[in-house]
Amino acid sequence: AQRVTQPEKLLSVFKGAPVELKCNYSYSGSPELFWYVQYSRQRLQLLLRHISRESIKGFTADLNKGETSFHLKKPFAQEEDSAMYYCALRAQFSGGYNKLIFGAGTRLAVHP
Amino acid sequence: DTAVSQTPKYLVTQMGNDKSIKCEQNLGHDTMYWYKQDSKKFLKIMFSYNNKELIINETVPNRFSPKSPDKAHLNLHINSLELGDSAVYFCASSQDFQRFSGNTIYFGEGSWLTVV
């Protein structure tokens, strides 16, 4: 079954501390993974795609197929990073259509 | 120049009423979606349309009926609203549903529905 698991509902850190938001997935095909961010009462925005291997706002994420993980990391958290973070998996179904399956989300709270 | 726009942004209504949320995208995308974010912030797909044709219909009560008059619009109509329908509803679009890989999905700002 296709599934995305984000084990932490809330991650609370102090400014300047390292951050790691965990994401594990279950998918039988070739996975494509994303991190989305939702700032307070705003739309979801794409933060990272694993195929891009880029760093956005200091965040990075590496796909580890052996551990089926796609953890989001940042070495030094900033207060403006406080938001809801969703890990998502693109899953392909019969008929050729795709959909995004989201994890339950992790709220990151960065304190001064 | 908003890519995906939804109206209304906030809606408070009584149980039993019928309401609609409208969505429009100006990206020229073929595929549009409705997602529901519940009170626990869990985000789940409800429907997907490609070129006005329904392609994904998750287990959603029949009281929810999407309508796509053209590929740039996907409206969500909800009959006989219940307390449990209170949520944030996000519209989204993507270029198409088959060559999804490598594309991104663009979300609207959400519509906060409160049923009292």
Side-chain angles (χ1 to χ4, degrees):
Chain A
Q2 299 87 3
R3 188 169 58 247
V4 176
T5 304
Q6 292 179 249
E8 301 142 327
K9 283 190 177 180
L10 172 65
L11 185 61
S12 189
V13 301
F14 286 103
K15 178 182 172 182
V19 167
E20 183 179 48
L21 287 85
K22 291 185 168 48
C23 172
N24 288 88
Y25 66 91
S26 172
Y27 185 57
S28 56
S30 181
E32 185 175 1
L33 287 139
F34 306 81
W35 275 101
Y36 282 84
V37 60
Q38 184 184 25
Y39 299 103
S40 180
R41 291 189 168 264
Q42 293 186 26
R43 74 182 75 217
L44 271 81
Q45 302 171 44
L46 179 67
L47 185 62
L48 288 174
R49 290 180 288 170
H50 92 266
I51 57 173
S52 301
R53 299 188 64 81
E54 57 201 344
S55 173
I56 304 292
K57 298 184 179 181
F59 285 97
T60 58
D62 290 317
L63 178 62
N64 185 324
K65 291 187 178 180
E67 296 181 357
T68 60
S69 69
F70 187 55
H71 303 327
L72 183 68
K73 300 177 183 178
K74 185 169 183 177
F76 307 104
Q78 303 299 313
E79 288 180 68
E80 55 265 30
D81 296 328
S82 296
M84 196 77 182
Y85 291 81
Y86 289 94
C87 183
L89 165 73
R90 177 196 62 85
Q92 192 166 34
F93 293 83
S94 61
Y97 68 86
N98 299 263
K99 66 178 180 181
L100 276 181
I101 297 172
F102 286 88
T106 298
R107 176 166 298 285
L108 174 64
V110 182
H111 304 285
Chain B
D1 61 345
T2 305
V4 181
S5 58
Q6 304 177 222
T7 55
K9 185 161 185 175
Y10 300 100
L11 181 57
V12 180
T13 188
Q14 290 187 324
M15 281 174 54
N17 285 350
D18 302 338
K19 291 293 177 186
S20 292
I21 306 172
K22 296 185 177 180
C23 179
E24 176 181 4
Q25 55 96 2
N26 62 5
L27 297 165
H29 287 168
D30 286 343
T31 307
M32 296 184 72
Y33 312 80
W34 277 109
Y35 279 82
K36 179 181 179 180
Q37 185 181 45
D38 62 24
S39 58
K40 296 183 179 179
K41 302 297 184 183
F42 191 62
L43 194 63
K44 190 172 181 184
I45 191 168
M46 299 173 69
F47 301 103
S48 176
Y49 270 71
N50 186 71
N51 272 325
K52 304 191 295 177
E53 196 173 320
L54 180 67
I55 56 171
I56 295 176
N57 185 351
E58 296 293 296
T59 307
V60 177
N62 291 337
R63 300 181 294 103
F64 289 79
S65 54
K67 285 186 172 50
S68 182
D70 54 62
K71 73 174 191 178
H73 295 84
L74 181 62
N75 304 323
L76 183 65
H77 188 76
I78 315 171
N79 289 326
S80 303
L81 279 156
E82 300 177 358
L83 292 176
D85 297 332
S86 295
V88 184
Y89 293 86
F90 285 98
C91 179
S93 74
S94 64
Q95 188 170 338
D96 62 51
F97 73 97
Q98 287 186 318
R99 290 168 300 188
F100 190 95
S101 179
N103 290 339
T104 57
I105 181 171
Y106 293 83
F107 286 86
E109 292 189 332
S111 295
W112 271 257
L113 172 64
T114 302
V115 182
V116 297

